[in-house]
Amino acid sequence: MQLGDQLWWLMREWLRTDETAMLPNDHLLLDELRAPTYEKLRNGKIQITHKDQLRKLLMRSPDRADALRLT
């Protein structure tokens, strides 16, 4: 798993499992958090949607989600 993929996954798990996790009321951030998908590779690793694909899907860069996952 690449570091970026790992950070996405850790953020996903934090939001999914921590009852105290809170997000700001920001529809752009929520769109960015809903956009990625993941794939389990044959070697057991998880690959998250690449940022270039997210840019095409969102028609902009997922900067807000990037900032959240880097905190």
Side-chain angles (χ1 to χ4, degrees), residues 8-66:
W8 271 108
W9 191 259
L10 290 171
M11 181 175 59
R12 172 193 183 267
E13 289 302 296
W14 169 66
L15 291 169
R16 192 177 67 82
T17 61
D18 186 344
E19 294 178 11
T20 64
M22 294 179 11
L23 294 172
N25 186 14
D26 181 341
H27 71 279
L28 294 176
L29 172 61
L30 295 178
D31 288 345
E32 294 173 14
L33 294 176
R34 291 181 187 123
T37 59
Y38 70 92
E39 171 183 359
K40 289 186 179 181
L41 304 177
R42 290 184 180 179
N43 61 8
K45 294 182 179 184
I46 295 172
Q47 183 176 18
I48 308 294
T49 307
H50 194 269
K51 189 169 182 173
D52 289 339
Q53 293 172 315
L54 290 176
R55 281 186 193 116
K56 288 178 186 177
L57 179 66
L58 295 166
M59 295 185 287
R60 59 184 169 77
S61 184
D63 294 334
R64 287 172 165 81
D66 283 345

